[in-house]
Amino acid sequence: MKIFTNIQLAASIAFTHMRTRLKQTIVATAGVAFGITVFVFMVSFIKGSNEFIRNIAFEQSPHLRLYNEVQATPGTILDKVNTQAINIVDHVKPKDVLLSLKDGKQIVQTLQHDQRVSAVSGSINTQVFYRLGSSAINGIINGIDFEAENSLFNLQAKLVDGSFQELATMPNSLVMGAGLAKRLNLKTGDRLTLTTEKGNTFYVTVVGIFKTGMTDIDKQQSYASLNTVQRFFGVPAAYITDIKIKLHDMELAPAFSKELQTKYGFHGSDWKQDNSTIIEGDVIRNMIVYGVAVTILLVAGFGIFNILTMMIYEKMKDIAILKAMGFSDADIRWIFLVQALTIGFTGALLGLLFGFLCAYGISKMPYKSDVMITLDHLPVSFAPVYYITGFTFGIITTALAGYLPSRKASRVDPITILRG
């Protein structure tokens, strides 16, 4: 009870000191509030932007993918004939590998019953030439089962004109990326010529235009029904080149990918490999944001340190009198710690409030993008962890800034001060 009483008395004296130096107290509190406001605003805005970009990228890539890949031939005929000799052969041709997945459709059906799998789609992914008049653009065509592909990538939400459903009902039809359509000056209902890698040429009709927000995809890619692409390339109905999988828990993708590669003998990749640049960029951006925000809070902490230090020099005689009256070193420390913690607590709360208001205001600001059609306002994240982090760091910074001056004040010799 005595300790509690002493702290109450120390707090009363601390508030008296703060009122007498009201201007400095307000400046210190404003410094903390400004630091936490900037921290919350910057983290919320940049985290929100990162999450939006990640979501756009991840919507266009499966959690894991199985495919075949052309590989270099591991050896030559000379190596087999002259096993003891050193054979040097230049320009060895790649191994002749069929890109189709053996028993691919049966594997898709098997994966549909796996409890870890949320959605799975088998497709054909191959390069073609889009020709219209003198224009010839190299691009990619995806032969898909629309329902399966839509469950993976929500294609319907990315459609800006036309219909995906017509792929199944209209022969030789495709849905084209907005960037590709712009390059060819095409719109829904127009016809163009499509040339396969083998030189086969077909007339196709554009029945829809989509936009994902990913420039590389929108400028090169189109979708057609799986049957249509198989007919273009003269392959059987069982022919597919890719199996794309979405999991209930995306963190299982690397291990599950290795399991499937070992089981079926295919190549594979997962979302971490396919989006390594975005993930690495997130880490760097987070380091910059937290570095700047922490620096601002530290500057605010140094401001509190300087203010409390100057207050101690100005209150030397008051401290000496208090110690002469029987105040212990701990009581003196509490007087200045209470001042620091009060400034920190008040500044932190104001910083959280102003940070939230700034972030909320930005989130309501209209923003139109010709690239990202799903973006109508600036993306902001309101995750509670950023507010908890800002508040905690603000309190810790001000507590440390107040500790050294409070310790110095507690060591003041009252006799030396009173003698002058």
Side-chain angles (χ1 to χ4, degrees):
M1 189 68 180
K2 182 179 180 182
I3 295 175
F4 180 74
T5 304
N6 290 345
I7 294 176
Q8 280 186 316
L9 181 59
S12 176
I13 297 172
F15 292 138
T16 301
H17 281 180
M18 292 171 68
R19 284 194 295 270
T20 58
R21 304 289 296 179
L22 186 59
K23 186 176 181 180
Q24 287 183 342
T25 301
I26 292 174
V27 169
T29 304
V32 177
F34 176 76
I36 294 179
T37 298
V38 172
F39 173 84
V40 170
F41 173 74
M42 287 182 62
V43 173
S44 298
F45 180 57
I46 295 182
K47 281 286 189 180
S49 301
N50 288 349
E51 289 173 5
F52 182 82
I53 294 171
R54 281 169 63 98
N55 291 338
I56 289 291
F58 290 168
E59 277 186 0
Q60 301 309 126
S61 62
H63 292 164
L64 63 96
R65 182 169 69 97
L66 298 177
Y67 58 94
N68 272 335
E69 191 174 65
V70 176
Q71 293 180 310
T73 305
T76 65
I77 296 175
L78 285 177
D79 293 329
K80 297 178 181 179
V81 175
N82 301 320
T83 57
Q84 302 300 322
I86 298 176
N87 304 306
I88 299 177
V89 180
D90 293 326
H91 306 296
V92 179
K93 290 184 178 180
K95 187 179 179 181
D96 188 11
V97 176
L98 292 175
L99 296 181
S100 63
L101 301 178
K102 185 179 180 181
D103 299 326
K105 287 199 170 183
Q106 286 76 12
I107 295 172
V108 169
Q109 293 175 359
T110 301
L111 290 172
Q112 288 174 343
H113 297 91
D114 193 304
Q115 294 183 349
R116 294 168 289 183
V117 175
S118 172
V120 59
S121 172
S123 64
I124 297 176
N125 185 297
T126 187
Q127 290 188 334
V128 293
F129 282 97
Y130 301 100
R131 300 180 185 275
L132 182 66
S134 60
S135 298
I137 297 177
N138 183 32
I140 297 170
I141 188 168
N142 282 309
I144 62 169
D145 176 342
F146 172 69
E147 295 300 330
E149 201 80 6
N150 190 50
S151 65
L152 279 167
F153 304 124
N154 193 19
L155 296 180
Q156 188 63 42
K158 300 172 178 63
L159 191 70
V160 295
D161 190 26
S163 170
F164 272 105
Q165 279 70 25
E166 290 189 46
L167 294 179
T169 59
M170 181 181 291
N172 292 10
S173 59
L174 56 82
V175 176
M176 181 175 287
L180 181 58
K182 185 177 181 180
R183 293 169 71 189
L184 291 169
N185 195 25
L186 291 169
K187 60 182 181 298
T188 301
D190 289 346
R191 288 169 61 85
L192 73 155
T193 304
L194 184 146
T195 304
T196 67
E197 292 177 325
K198 295 181 179 180
N200 299 327
T201 300
F202 300 88
Y203 287 101
V204 295
T205 303
V206 179
V207 297
I209 295 174
F210 70 89
K211 183 183 284 187
T212 65
M214 303 293 289
T215 304
D216 291 341
I217 293 176
D218 293 341
K219 282 189 174 183
Q220 296 185 31
Q221 193 162 290
S222 63
Y223 291 101
S225 70
L226 188 58
N227 293 335
T228 296
V229 176
Q230 288 168 343
R231 188 173 65 255
F232 285 167
F233 288 87
V235 294
Y239 184 98
I240 60 173
T241 62
D242 291 80
I243 296 176
K244 290 167 278 190
I245 304 168
K246 183 179 180 180
L247 303 177
H248 293 291
D249 183 1
M250 62 191 301
E251 294 298 331
L252 299 176
F256 194 31
S257 177
K258 291 180 180 178
E259 177 186 328
L260 295 178
Q261 290 178 58
T262 302
K263 184 176 181 179
Y264 297 114
F266 302 143
H267 286 83
S269 64
D270 58 72
W271 64 273
K272 289 186 177 181
Q273 295 173 333
D274 295 337
N275 299 284
S276 58
T277 303
I278 295 176
I279 295 172
E280 191 68 27
D282 282 351
V283 174
I284 295 173
R285 284 189 290 271
N286 289 341
M287 290 174 61
I288 295 173
V289 172
Y290 282 108
V292 172
V294 167
T295 301
I296 293 172
L297 291 177
L298 288 176
V299 170
F302 278 115
I304 296 172
F305 174 82
N306 290 332
I307 288 173
L308 291 179
T309 300
M310 291 300 297
M311 193 176 293
I312 288 170
Y313 282 115
E314 294 175 359
K315 299 293 183 180
M316 280 292 187
K317 288 187 177 180
D318 293 348
I319 295 171
I321 293 173
L322 289 173
K323 297 192 75 172
M325 292 173 60
F327 279 71
S328 66
D329 292 350
D331 295 331
I332 301 299
R333 279 198 300 270
W334 271 113
I335 291 174
F336 292 95
L337 276 176
V338 166
Q339 293 182 49
L341 291 173
T342 301
I343 291 171
F345 187 81
T346 305
L349 289 179
L350 291 174
L352 294 182
L353 175 61
F354 291 137
F356 171 79
L357 292 176
C358 290
Y360 183 78
I362 287 292
S363 71
K364 295 301 179 183
M365 184 179 295
Y367 183 85
K368 298 296 182 182
S369 172
D370 292 333
V371 178
M372 300 179 180
I373 60 172
T374 57
L375 184 62
D376 55 358
H377 291 81
L378 291 175
V380 176
S381 173
F382 293 98
V385 65
Y386 310 140
Y387 295 84
I388 295 172
T389 302
F391 181 81
T392 302
F393 194 84
I395 295 297
I396 292 174
T397 302
T398 52
L400 291 176
Y403 174 72
L404 293 178
S406 68
R407 189 176 63 173
K408 184 175 183 178
S410 67
R411 294 177 177 177
V412 169
D413 184 1
I415 297 176
T416 302
I417 298 299
L418 293 175
R419 282 178 178 176

